[in-house]
Amino acid sequence: MSQKNSFNKQELLSMANGDMFGQDNAKLPLEPMLMIDRIINISNIGGEYNKGSILAEMDITEALWFFHCHFKGDPVMPGCLGLDGFWQLIGFFLTWVGGDGRGRALGVKDLKFKGQVRPYHEKIIYKIDIKKFITRPTYMAWCDAVIEVKDKAIYFAKDLQVGLFEGLTW
């Protein structure tokens, strides 16, 4: 039996509620912070570094909450939300490959914005290449990623880092 490698919005919300991988494991954020509508393909092989890759999308509509406050008369998706989408997807990957614990974003080495997401765009496409992946002492991944709008890469991130941790306390 092969592992499922694509997920729709309802399945992503199932993970956000703790139903997919369990209550004690990593969860995606609930709406409106969920920055993914579907995972087109997720794999632990292939990609630029042959460690795995993720291809995902988010639908863009004028109704999205951030367009109503960032900025009045000049709506644009905050770049930090695209960055968070990268981290969400990497956390999903770590749990999908069998990791236990709660996901935490740990950083990004290099981030550049060469364009913007506006309300008239139809969707954004996340393309993530797993660069390094370890399972001990904890599940952790380092990735390179881009966001594309209309077949043009506009966000570029190098060495995004996410880990899964057990026993987290306040």
Side-chain angles (χ1 to χ4, degrees), residues 35 77-87 113 124 126 147 155:
M35 299 305 296
M77 183 176 111
C80 61
L81 295 180
L83 176 61
D84 202 68
F86 289 146
W87 283 324
F113 302 117
I124 61 174
Y126 295 95
I147 286 179
Y155 291 18

Side-chain angles (χ1 to χ4, degrees), residues 56-140:
E57 297 176 339
M58 178 181 175
D59 297 326
I60 301 299
T61 69
E62 195 173 318
L64 288 167
W65 65 274
F66 45 81
F67 287 134
H68 300 279
C69 57
H70 191 265
F71 298 99
K72 185 175 182 175
D74 183 23
V76 61
M77 183 176 111
C80 61
L81 295 180
L83 176 61
D84 202 68
F86 289 146
W87 283 324
Q88 291 173 22
L89 286 161
I90 298 165
F92 185 95
F93 173 85
L94 290 170
T95 306
W96 176 80
V97 295
D100 291 327
R102 302 201 177 198
R104 294 296 185 263
L106 300 173
V108 59
K109 185 176 183 180
D110 188 30
L111 179 65
K112 296 204 181 331
F113 302 117
K114 303 273 182 156
Q116 52 191 340
V117 179
R118 302 297 299 252
Y120 53 82
H121 291 124
E122 292 180 21
K123 68 182 173 183
I124 61 174
I125 299 170
Y126 295 95
K127 293 183 176 180
I128 300 174
D129 289 302
I130 312 304
K131 192 173 191 176
K132 181 179 177 185
F133 169 59
I134 62 171
T135 60
R136 293 182 192 269
T138 187
Y139 274 69
M140 200 169 297

